């Protein structure tokens, strides 16, 4: 699976949009971009994923560049409960296993 | 809540002992995977079970083993515990509907401390 690069940490003001960048310059054509987050002392939580097109769900939006070498997760209106470590993962699901390769993630602190 | 439950939530063992951790997958999910998360790091893939067989393994020694039962629940066994095995152990379930692997749903984890 391709490696990802994310900022170690970032702060965000409550109520404002949080934009979390991720670089995945070695991504392959069949690899998806996934985002998970982990709130302190809990298991990781699925947020969103995409292949080429931008995606949106009730939690967030995912913007993938045309060359697919980077992406941005957007939390449109950050709340204090969005404070967590956010992981950007690229992977291809194969018959050999549906594994996720987690990096260090971005520690996001939402401030009042 | 994801519907994935793990037990026990916390346990303490001593070096050299053996431990068994348990996981009940989300309803309708036929695949279970296990991850180890050391303090301050991201989770690391241990292995995955599909239809009661291991079908993917990370860089973990053979003393890490597992089982999946007909009801898709799973166990993680670790023999000859070492201090570095102290970590949060996460179970995740998913479904392989139509040959495609869905997103993973994680439990809250079992925190193992080895003294």
């Amino acid at each position: 699976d391709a490696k990802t690069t994310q900022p170690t940490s970032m702060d965000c003001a409550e109520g404002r949009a949080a934009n979390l960048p991720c670089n995945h310059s070695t991504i392959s054509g069949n690899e998806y971009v996934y985002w998970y987050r982990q709130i302190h002392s809990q298991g990781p939580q699925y947020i969103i994923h995409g292949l080429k097109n931008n995606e949106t769900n009730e939690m967030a939006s995912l913007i993938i560049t045309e060359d697919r070498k980077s992406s941005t997760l957007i939390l449109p209106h950050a709340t204090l409960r969005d404070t967590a470590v956010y992981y950007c993962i690229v992977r291809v699901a194969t018959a050999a296993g549906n594994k996720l390769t987690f990096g260090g993630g971005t520690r996001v602190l939402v401030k009042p | 809540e994801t519907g994935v439950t793990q037990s026990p939530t916390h346990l303490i063992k001593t070096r050299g002992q053996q431990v068994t951790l348990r996981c009940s997958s989300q309803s309708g999910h036929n695949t279970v995977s296990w991850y180890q998360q050391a303090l301050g790091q991201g989770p690391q893939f241990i292995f995955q079970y599909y239809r009661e067989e291991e079908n993917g393994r990370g860089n973990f020694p053979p003393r890490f083993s597992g089982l999946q039962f007909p009801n898709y629940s799973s166990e993680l066994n670790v023999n000859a515990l070492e201090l570095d095995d102290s970590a949060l152990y996460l179970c995740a379930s998913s479904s392989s509907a139509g040959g495609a692997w869905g997103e993973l749903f994680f439990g809250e984890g079992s925190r193992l401390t080895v003294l």
Side-chain angles (χ1 to χ4, degrees):
Chain A
D1 292 337
K3 291 186 177 180
T4 62
T5 304
Q6 298 178 252
T8 304
S9 64
M10 64 184 295
D11 293 346
C12 176
E14 186 180 19
R16 305 293 289 271
N19 297 304
L20 282 63
C22 179
N23 287 322
H24 31 79
S25 59
T26 60
I27 192 170
S28 301
N30 61 349
E31 287 185 307
Y32 287 77
V33 179
Y34 277 74
W35 283 84
Y36 279 75
R37 73 180 182 183
Q38 188 171 23
I39 297 171
H40 182 61
S41 299
Q42 297 183 18
Q45 176 190 23
Y46 166 81
I47 301 174
I48 199 167
H49 75 281
L51 183 63
K52 295 181 181 178
N53 299 322
N54 298 337
E55 302 288 344
T56 296
N57 63 20
E58 65 278 5
M59 289 183 67
S61 295
L62 174 61
I63 308 299
I64 303 174
T65 58
E66 191 170 344
D67 63 7
R68 299 204 333 118
K69 293 186 177 181
S70 66
S71 61
T72 301
L73 178 74
I74 301 173
L75 307 178
H77 304 288
T79 70
L80 299 179
R81 288 178 293 181
D82 291 323
T83 292
V85 178
Y86 288 76
Y87 296 99
C88 170
I89 300 162
V90 292
R91 71 169 177 107
V92 56
T94 69
N98 187 24
K99 76 173 187 177
L100 299 176
T101 302
F102 289 84
T106 296
R107 188 171 299 274
V108 174
L109 176 62
V110 180
K111 296 181 175 180
Chain B
E1 290 232 349
T2 62
V4 179
T5 58
Q6 294 187 241
S7 62
T9 55
H10 296 81
L11 70 165
I12 300 173
K13 293 285 187 177
T14 56
R15 195 169 49 183
Q17 284 188 312
Q18 178 266 343
V19 68
T20 297
L21 307 178
R22 296 177 175 81
C23 173
S24 293
S25 60
Q26 182 167 313
S27 177
H29 285 182
N30 57 9
T31 304
V32 173
S33 51
W34 288 90
Y35 289 76
Q36 179 195 66
Q37 186 173 23
L39 198 61
Q41 299 182 17
Q44 301 297 308
F45 176 73
I46 304 175
F47 45 55
Q48 175 178 287
Y49 278 82
Y50 171 61
R51 292 184 176 177
E52 302 178 50
E53 290 191 3
E54 183 182 301
N55 78 328
R57 190 177 183 95
N59 188 27
F60 281 82
R63 60 189 185 83
F64 285 78
S65 64
L67 285 173
Q68 187 181 31
F69 301 100
N71 66 355
Y72 304 129
S73 65
S74 176
E75 287 183 355
L76 165 65
N77 299 290
V78 187
N79 295 321
L81 284 168
E82 301 177 358
L83 299 180
D84 285 348
D85 295 334
S86 295
L88 180 68
Y89 288 86
L90 295 160
C91 169
S93 73
S94 61
S95 175
S96 63
W101 300 93
E103 63 263 23
L104 301 183
F105 293 86
F106 286 82
E108 299 297 302
S110 294
R111 183 164 298 282
L112 171 65
T113 301
V114 182
L115 302 176

